[in-house]
Amino acid sequence: MAKTFDFTVNGKPITVTLDNEETPLLDVLRNELGLMGTRFGCGLEQCGCCMALIDGQPEKCCAKPVWSAAGKSITTVEGLGTPALPHPLQQAFLDEQAGQCGYCLSGILISAKALLAKNPSPTRAEIALALDGNICRCGSHNRILRAVEKAAAVMRGIHP
Amino acid sequence: MNALPGPLNDNPRLDLWVSFAETGKVVVNTGRVELGQGVLTAMAQIASDELDVDMASVMVRSGVTDNMPNEGYTAGSQSIQMGGQAMAQACADVRALFLEQAAKAIGCNANELTVRGGKFLRNGALSGQDYWTLNGAVDLAVNATGRGQRKAIGERAHIGRNDARTDLPGKLFGEPVFIHDMRLAGMKHARVVRQPNKDATIGAIDEAAIRRAAKGDIAFVRSGDFLAIVGDDEPAVERAGAAAVNHVTWTNVEMPTPLQQEANWLVQRPVIDCLLGSPEPSDAQGRERFEATYSRGYLAHASISPSCGLAEYRDGHLTVWTHCQGVFPLRGALARMLKLDAKAITVHHVQGSGCYGHNGADDATADAAVIAMQMPGTPIRIRWRREEEFVHEPKSPAMLVKVRALLDADGKPSDWTAEIWSGNHNGRPGGGNALLAGYALPDQEPFPQANDVPEAAGGGATRNADPLYDIADKRIIHHMVTETPVRVSALRGLGAMPNVFALECAIDELAGRAGVDPVAYRLSITSDPRARAVIEKVAVMSNWQANASGGAGRGRGIAFSRYKNRAAYAAIIVDLEVDEEIRLHRIWCATDGGLIVNPDGAINQLEGGVIQSASWVLKEQVRLDGGTASFDWETYPVLKFSEVPMIDIVLINPTNSDVPLGVGEATAGPTAAAIGNAVSHALGIRLRDLPLTRERIMAALLQE
Ligand code: FES
Ligand code: FES
């Protein structure tokens, strides 16, 4: 009964074969593809830990069946940048030391990336609102907001 | 010669702390673990300064029960105050031993030598000797003496500097840094079918229904009332775990009611009483009397990720991986539960999400261990379900605090009583308590009555109940409630948050009675100069206007405490607006944490404490209704990004001291009280029960 699903993950074409087409996309990323950057927080679409970009939209992957992502292009936190070539958001988070335990950060980076794609110069209140679907329990909020503002400024400078 | 810091005294062998086995590298071992607070970075900063080595050459090993100082728990804001001081002295002692040996090898006087980047210089010139050339000649299997000279203010290159966190890059590039990301060869996933409460026993199990729900291969593992589901496919195991809640029946199930979720339910329960201080005077001797009752409900740690643990039992040895706060205490508790020799168990710490105290981490590890013992050779990974974490993690106890004061002619307190009802804040396995699985397993020894955290360690329910103000006679009457409707244990600050809320709200009420501005009133009863300094500083930061009238829904409040009356000082001012709900506008904080190893890291912790406390105050209470009715982020909401105020934090003299004072929990109490005081300032009525929810505010406004 195994079924095959094709999609693009971080720019690479991927095919997975699964017995159950209801398997959440998050499990496919983590357990089938070994991409651990997208985290599990609740499995209930409530916390934002599991966010990835699906065709450019920030989506929670923990309850999204794999079939619904078939044929789509997925970007996870691993696809944003690397230590050698960090995305401006990642660099800004490092500069601001934005995070404590860091468990929430993957989802927050994804939300922020989607926001900046839509709105390159958001106000702090707009950033906060865009991140309301992401819970941070450690209280790193203000550093995170500063980092997103900073990344936005850098990105505006790069792509004027 | 200095007296050895506690953890070094307990683990004096220097080779437990420092080794130079690999050329160019220094390995330092800390018994403290990374919980997202940046402690490993701070330890590297300390080691690098005290040994005079490059920070890049320092590797910090942490949290394993082999060749590691046993420092108990990473808790109580003591990692730098105790563990950092121990690390510093161990490194200074090691440096002194190597200096002696270098002098011998070079044929000079030790005082001609300095160390730079791990190399020994004689009168500023390279001597050809370094830690690694001398390593064979220096025996570190000796006890610390405290003889090594610590770096003085001005000689420190890293301590006091904002070195970047070493753990953060991995978290920003999506690396598998968390325990949740560990995968072992041949590993199986597991979920526990949780015993609803400790005396519940399994009735019937509808295995077929659970297998149908799994839609994949699963197996059952059972021991007494401990039941688990194991399989190769995590989604199948997860589905089975979720479905099993409805397909397993239990007897002796407790059904807590909403009444039991409130702190006032604790009064009239069986208690163990304790009086700290002189008996309360029966005669006020003409002094005016003040009395008020404050309370707070049960809180969840609500870690962003449910707990996770891995275990493997192979060739008579159990190895577990955990994100708990104390690997040695967990090893002891596992040995007791599994009837193994502690030597047959190795516990490794791997990072999890922030825990803020005793969450489900130890219990999830124990679950994995129980299953692994039944399946020798197969590594087992448990990840609790979200609901399981909310319902079964130990909660911070509800507390009811009655403050009674006798006032002198100026309206200042001359006699102070804090009478406290609370469950125990020390449900940790190291305190002799059960791991959750232990309640379900057969043939477990009975557990002794749990004791709260001793006063010598800062107290649990009594923490910060003793005001730091100049009050002639003070006492605490502590009623430890022995049976609570939910399992209780340690959360950030223990009793400090409810106690400081009560005490600092009471002080504001007394200031109001005396007709004195709250800042001026506090200063009039404070002689500790460091306490005065933080209060004065925060007033300046926020441009505090004495006797400013509140009302019209806008208010401002102040609160102060010194955590445990012996760690960091913190004063907080809050600006907010209230109509039906509270909107926080801005929070200012002045902290004196003594020597700060990493100021930015300390500010990050203080700010985290402010935000978490604001969340507790505005939103959080565990609801009970036939069970724990707070089981996800909708039934237990926390503060969102758009609800977090601007926060300004200033550290007073962060590098101009030798003595660090723990900061991680310093802001939780004063933030709560400053919000309470600001709400009262805004509304002209006093709310004394936390959380300050919309319902409570509306009810109070209607009563007016
Ligand atoms: S894990 Fe998907 S939203 Fe929480
Ligand atoms: S940094 Fe820990 S949850 Fe955000």
Side-chain angles (χ1 to χ4, degrees):
Chain A
M1 281 208 315
K3 284 206 180 94
T4 298
F5 302 91
D6 297 309
F7 27 70
T8 310
V9 178
N10 298 329
K12 287 194 206 89
I14 297 277
T15 302
V16 293
T17 306
L18 293 166
D19 285 340
N20 189 333
E21 62 174 6
E22 299 297 326
T23 299
L25 180 59
L26 180 61
D27 280 275
V28 175
L29 293 172
R30 292 178 57 81
N31 286 330
E32 307 294 326
L33 306 179
L35 292 170
M36 297 291 182
T38 312
R39 319 286 185 194
F40 176 93
C42 64
L44 306 165
E45 300 189 326
Q46 292 177 348
C47 75
C49 284
C50 62
M51 287 175 106
L53 295 172
I54 302 182
D55 286 346
Q57 293 303 309
E59 305 252 16
K60 293 166 176 165
C61 300
C62 58
K64 185 173 281 304
V66 61
W67 61 260
S68 73
K72 301 200 172 162
S73 169
I74 299 163
T75 305
T76 67
V77 66
E78 290 93 338
L80 293 191
T82 60
L85 213 64
H87 186 277
L89 276 163
Q90 289 165 318
Q91 186 59 50
F93 274 63
L94 284 172
D95 294 345
E96 293 296 323
Q97 293 283 289
Q100 291 183 36
C101 77
Y103 202 90
C104 62
L105 294 177
S106 303
I108 286 174
L109 287 165
I110 293 292
S111 279
K113 176 150 198 281
L115 168 70
L116 298 186
K118 269 200 318 225
N119 178 359
S121 29
T123 62
R124 190 172 279 222
E126 286 169 335
I127 301 170
L129 217 53
L131 296 181
D132 268 353
N134 295 89
I135 293 171
C136 173
R137 183 55 165 164
C138 293
S140 309
H141 304 73
N142 287 344
R143 286 165 180 262
I144 290 169
L145 295 175
R146 279 203 301 277
V148 177
E149 275 178 334
K150 186 169 184 174
V154 169
M155 287 165 74
R156 285 197 301 273
I158 292 171
H159 313 285
Chain B
M1 155 114 75
N2 311 315
L4 294 181
L8 189 54
N9 203 41
D10 298 341
N11 304 273
R13 277 260 304 253
L14 290 174
D15 58 354
L16 272 179
W17 296 84
V18 184
S19 75
F20 297 94
E22 188 188 334
T23 299
K25 295 266 175 253
V26 188
V27 176
V28 296
N29 294 319
T30 172
R32 309 286 159 170
V33 296
E34 184 63 54
L35 306 170
Q37 80 286 44
V39 68
L40 301 189
T41 308
M43 290 296 173
Q45 290 178 259
I46 291 169
S48 145
D49 267 3
E50 298 295 354
L51 289 167
D52 282 315
V53 294
D54 295 336
M55 199 151 137
S57 65
V58 179
M59 323 229 316
V60 184
R61 259 180 95 236
S62 147
V64 54
T65 49
D66 293 327
N67 299 319
M68 177 76 59
N70 178 352
E71 297 191 57
Y73 289 106
T74 301
S77 298
Q78 296 195 39
S79 289
I80 301 300
Q81 193 169 357
M82 304 292 286
Q85 292 291 81
M87 175 65 72
Q89 191 59 54
C91 290
D93 277 11
V94 166
R95 183 177 177 277
L97 290 176
F98 274 85
L99 271 174
E100 245 168 58
Q101 187 59 38
K104 252 191 245 166
I106 299 164
C108 68
N109 222 319
N111 61 18
E112 293 169 47
L113 297 176
T114 51
V115 193
R116 286 278 169 285
K119 298 185 167 69
F120 290 81
L121 311 183
R122 181 181 185 187
N123 299 324
L126 286 174
S127 68
Q129 298 290 358
D130 58 33
Y131 281 116
W132 300 278
T133 57
L134 296 167
N135 189 33
V138 178
D139 184 10
L140 291 183
V142 296
N143 285 355
T145 58
R147 216 161 44 84
Q149 192 60 46
R150 297 267 311 273
K151 285 288 153 62
I153 297 163
E155 292 176 345
R156 302 170 185 146
H158 290 281
I159 296 171
R161 210 174 75 167
N162 291 330
D163 287 317
R165 289 250 304 275
T166 53
D167 60 312
L168 207 50
K171 298 169 177 178
L172 286 166
F173 293 103
E175 288 165 18
V177 295
F178 295 108
I179 187 167
H180 306 75
D181 308 329
M182 272 187 75
R183 297 289 183 273
L184 300 170
M187 181 186 89
K188 288 191 187 296
H189 295 275
R191 298 291 182 272
V192 171
V193 186
R194 234 23 318 145
Q195 189 184 29
N197 48 269
K198 70 175 185 234
D199 296 316
T201 52
I202 293 182
I205 305 171
D206 187 346
E207 286 197 17
I210 298 170
R211 284 184 201 282
R212 275 197 304 278
K215 297 187 193 135
D217 281 344
I218 53 160
F220 292 87
V221 169
R222 181 169 177 187
S223 176
D225 295 304
F226 180 92
L227 176 64
I229 293 156
V230 181
D232 293 317
D233 183 36
E234 187 174 15
V237 173
E238 175 88 4
R239 282 189 292 269
V245 175
N246 302 318
H247 297 298
V248 177
T249 61
W250 296 86
T251 50
N252 292 331
V253 176
E254 290 165 8
M255 302 285 271
T257 65
L259 276 180
Q260 289 174 286
Q261 82 194 13
E262 304 303 334
N264 58 15
W265 182 84
L266 297 168
V267 181
Q268 312 296 334
R269 308 307 304 168
V271 290
I272 297 172
D273 285 339
C274 174
L275 169 70
L276 299 160
S278 55
E280 194 171 0
S282 50
D283 178 3
Q285 292 176 320
R287 289 175 290 183
E288 206 184 326
R289 194 186 280 278
F290 167 84
E291 176 162 356
T293 303
Y294 305 86
S295 78
R296 190 204 70 185
Y298 294 90
L299 296 182
H301 299 75
S303 295
I304 187 77
S305 165
S307 293
C308 180
L310 286 84
E312 180 173 22
Y313 185 62
R314 190 182 287 275
D315 304 329
H317 195 91
L318 176 70
T319 307
V320 302
W321 293 264
T322 180
H323 54 107
C324 79
Q325 291 178 290
V327 289
F328 287 96
L330 176 59
R331 182 177 67 171
L334 287 172
R336 177 186 162 123
M337 180 181 81
L338 300 169
K339 303 179 172 61
L340 284 175
D341 187 339
K343 286 198 204 71
I345 305 176
T346 304
V347 182
H348 293 270
H349 180 265
V350 185
Q351 285 188 64
S353 63
C355 64
Y356 331 107
H358 177 202
N359 68 355
D362 299 87
D363 299 315
T365 314
D367 292 342
V370 169
I371 301 165
M373 293 291 292
Q374 296 209 19
M375 300 177 70
T378 302
I380 298 295
R381 172 184 183 269
I382 278 271
R383 198 260 297 133
W384 278 12
R385 295 176 302 107
R386 177 75 263 167
E387 174 190 337
E388 191 178 1
E389 183 77 26
F390 265 118
V391 172
H392 293 281
E393 60 141 295
K395 305 301 182 298
S396 178
M399 281 177 59
L400 188 100
V401 184
K402 281 187 193 292
V403 171
R404 289 187 290 275
L406 299 175
L407 310 176
D408 67 17
D410 300 331
K412 295 178 190 169
S414 58
D415 188 281
W416 189 277
T417 303
E419 184 173 14
I420 299 166
W421 286 261
S422 171
N424 175 11
H425 291 256
N426 179 24
R428 293 184 185 278
N433 302 294
L435 291 155
L436 209 45
Y439 292 122
L441 293 174
D443 308 323
Q444 292 286 301
E445 287 166 40
F447 287 88
Q449 171 64 49
N451 286 315
D452 209 341
V453 179
E455 296 309 310
T462 56
R463 184 165 293 184
N464 276 102
D466 175 14
L468 202 69
Y469 297 112
D470 308 333
I471 301 173
D473 296 300
K474 301 182 288 185
R475 71 203 53 77
I476 300 170
I477 303 168
H478 176 198
H479 308 290
M480 191 183 93
V481 179
T482 50
E483 289 293 329
T484 48
V486 292
R487 184 168 166 247
V488 286
S489 192
L491 170 69
R492 197 174 200 162
L494 310 189
M497 184 273 215
N499 284 326
V500 173
F501 176 73
L503 146 63
E504 283 291 297
C505 287
I507 289 288
D508 245 50
E509 296 193 49
L510 294 180
R513 274 188 174 214
V516 179
D517 175 70
V519 170
Y521 185 82
R522 283 176 173 78
L523 290 172
S524 77
I525 52 174
T526 304
S527 47
D528 182 330
R530 295 173 81 172
R532 296 182 66 87
V534 292
I535 295 171
E536 284 165 351
K537 179 73 189 178
V538 79
V540 170
M541 285 167 70
S542 64
N543 190 22
W544 179 272
Q545 302 293 319
N547 299 310
S549 53
R554 299 273 318 218
R556 180 173 261 215
I558 181 169
F560 156 80
S561 86
R562 181 181 192 192
Y563 184 51
K564 299 192 232 178
N565 286 357
R566 68 173 93 133
Y569 297 80
I572 302 240
I573 286 177
V574 171
D575 253 8
L576 51 70
E577 202 176 321
V578 204
D579 36 46
E580 294 171 1
E581 275 172 331
I582 298 169
R583 275 187 301 285
L584 302 171
H585 285 304
R586 193 141 179 201
I587 298 183
W588 296 266
C589 166
T591 295
D592 177 352
L595 170 65
I596 301 288
V597 174
N598 189 318
D600 186 60
I603 287 172
N604 202 350
Q605 283 303 296
L606 290 162
E607 189 167 304
V610 168
I611 293 172
Q612 197 166 74
S613 180
S615 182
W616 293 341
V617 169
L618 266 50
K619 307 204 154 189
E620 298 184 34
Q621 176 173 19
V622 173
R623 309 280 164 182
L624 302 177
D625 194 359
T628 300
S630 301
F631 49 79
D632 64 9
W633 295 109
E634 277 168 13
T635 50
Y636 193 87
V638 299
L639 216 60
K640 293 189 292 197
F641 271 88
S642 59
E643 297 167 327
V644 170
M646 301 245 295
I647 300 170
D648 296 282
I649 294 179
V650 165
L651 298 171
I652 294 180
N653 290 333
T655 53
N656 200 11
S657 159
D658 286 321
V659 184
L661 303 173
V663 297
E665 294 157 315
T667 47
T671 299
I675 294 174
N677 290 335
V679 168
S680 158
H681 188 234
L683 297 179
I685 45 175
R686 178 61 62 173
L687 280 87
R688 300 191 183 87
D689 301 301
L690 297 177
L692 304 176
T693 54
R694 186 171 186 278
E695 298 72 51
R696 285 224 168 98
I697 293 167
M698 295 296 284
L701 287 172
L702 280 175
Q703 267 192 1
E704 271 300 282

